[in-house]
């Protein structure tokens, strides 16, 4: 069975500072990995995805994530955050079955 | 706008009543998914359709829940005899085909009193 663990429920960070949101997954088969973002009062939006190939994946809004198979991790990073990045971020995994299993989310607070 | 739409956006009902939600996917998307999100949790998969065929149902989906996609376009999710534990955000998503990006709608927030 697949599962996703987001290690931090909330992450406060100062504006223009770097941020890393951590995600670990477990799966017995090859997986596809995703990060979704949910801005206040809005629907889920795909930030980036890893299907195969390069382990460093670049997404929208300056975010990137690195797939590490040996550590079963898919951490999300941004070198300099902006107040508009305030949102909840969900790591997710999918196998060939296509349904998505989401983590519990990490709320990113940007401090002025 | 040609995104995924859901109706209604909010629903308040009394325990024991039946409710029905509608999802209109992006046109030509043949896959449609339903998820449920409760406070402080990530979305949980409920069921999905390939065209009009319902291919999988989660064990989370009790007998009180039923979903249809009669013509392979819009879908409805019905909850019979609602319980307070059904209070959640119900999300719909669609994709063009398997393994493609799922596009999510804004959700229907259900409150059961």
């Amino acid at each position: 069975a697949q599962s996703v663990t987001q290690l931090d429920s909330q992450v406060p960070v100062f504006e223009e500072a770097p941020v890393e949101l951590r995600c670990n997954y477990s799966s017995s088969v090859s997986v596809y990995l995703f990060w979704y973002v949910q801005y206040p009062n809005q629907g889920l939006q795909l930030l980036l995805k890893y299907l195969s190939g390069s382990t460093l994946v670049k997404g929208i809004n300056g975010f990137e994530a690195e797939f590490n198979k040996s550590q079963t991790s898919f951490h999300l990073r941004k070198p300099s955050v902006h107040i508009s990045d305030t949102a909840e971020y969900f790591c997710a995994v999918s196998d060939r079955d296509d349904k998505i299993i989401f983590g519990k989310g990490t709320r990113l607070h940007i401090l002025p | 706008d040609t995104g995924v739409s859901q109706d209604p956006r909010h629903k308040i009902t009394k325990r024991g009543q039946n409710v029905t939600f509608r999802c209109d996917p992006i046109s030509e998307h043949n896959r449609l998914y339903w998820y449920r999100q409760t406070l402080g949790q990530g979305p949980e998969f409920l069921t999905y359709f390939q065209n009009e065929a319902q291919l999988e149902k989660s064990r989370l989906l009790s007998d009180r829940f039923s979903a249809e996609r009669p013509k392979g376009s819009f879908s409805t999710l019905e909850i019979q005899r609602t319980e307070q534990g059904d209070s959640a955000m119900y999300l719909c998503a669609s994709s063009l085909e398997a393994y493609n990006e799922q596009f999510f709608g804004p959700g229907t927030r259900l409150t059961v009193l």
Side-chain angles (χ1 to χ4, degrees):
Chain A
Q2 300 168 83
S3 66
V4 175
T5 302
Q6 292 185 246
L7 297 162
D8 305 296
S9 58
Q10 295 190 64
V11 172
V13 62
F14 287 103
E15 196 169 12
E16 297 183 7
V19 68
E20 178 179 84
L21 305 184
R22 297 180 294 168
C23 173
N24 287 87
Y25 69 92
S26 68
S27 176
S28 58
V29 298
S30 298
V31 294
Y32 305 128
L33 293 159
F34 309 85
W35 276 97
Y36 280 84
V37 61
Q38 190 170 35
Y39 297 105
N41 300 315
Q42 293 188 31
L44 286 162
Q45 182 181 358
L46 181 67
L47 264 182
L48 49 81
K49 61 185 176 185
Y50 171 80
L51 302 183
S52 63
S54 173
T55 57
L56 183 63
V57 181
K58 294 192 182 296
I60 61 172
N61 300 339
F63 283 93
E64 64 180 31
E66 186 154 20
F67 170 59
N68 188 318
K69 188 174 182 179
S70 62
Q71 295 187 5
T72 61
S73 68
F74 191 55
H75 301 332
L76 181 71
R77 302 184 184 100
K78 186 170 182 177
S80 175
V81 295
H82 188 267
I83 194 76
S84 60
D85 293 323
T86 298
E88 186 134 24
Y89 293 80
F90 293 95
C91 181
V93 63
S94 175
D95 64 11
R96 298 181 189 282
D97 201 4
D98 199 30
K99 66 175 184 269
I100 296 179
I101 307 299
F102 287 87
K104 292 187 176 182
T106 297
R107 189 169 295 277
L108 181 59
H109 293 280
I110 309 299
L111 307 172
Chain B
D1 185 89
T2 58
V4 178
S5 62
Q6 293 186 244
D7 184 68
R9 295 291 304 276
H10 303 274
K11 178 71 177 178
I12 300 174
T13 191
K14 293 182 179 179
R15 189 176 53 183
Q17 297 295 305
N18 298 345
V19 295
T20 300
F21 310 140
R22 177 180 170 122
C23 171
D24 286 88
I26 294 171
S27 59
E28 298 181 353
H29 277 195
N30 55 21
R31 288 218 167 189
L32 187 148
Y33 309 79
W34 285 99
Y35 295 83
R36 178 173 64 191
Q37 186 178 16
T38 53
L39 207 59
Q41 302 293 319
E44 297 172 301
F45 169 80
L46 294 179
T47 187
Y48 82 95
F49 294 83
Q50 168 91 14
N51 299 314
E52 65 274 12
Q54 188 172 18
L55 296 187
E56 185 174 346
K57 289 174 61 172
S58 165
R59 281 171 287 181
L60 294 173
L61 218 56
S62 78
D63 293 343
R64 297 182 297 105
F65 288 70
S66 62
E68 293 182 342
R69 194 182 183 198
K71 296 181 180 178
S73 56
F74 73 92
S75 175
T76 57
L77 178 68
E78 181 183 16
I79 309 174
Q80 296 182 327
R81 305 181 302 282
T82 52
E83 302 173 356
Q84 288 184 324
D86 297 332
S87 295
M89 178 75 86
Y90 290 83
L91 300 168
C92 176
S94 70
S95 67
L96 186 56
E97 56 187 38
Y99 320 130
N100 278 29
E101 176 184 348
Q102 293 183 25
F103 292 84
F104 282 80
T108 294
R109 182 171 295 283
L110 172 67
T111 303
V112 182
L113 302 176

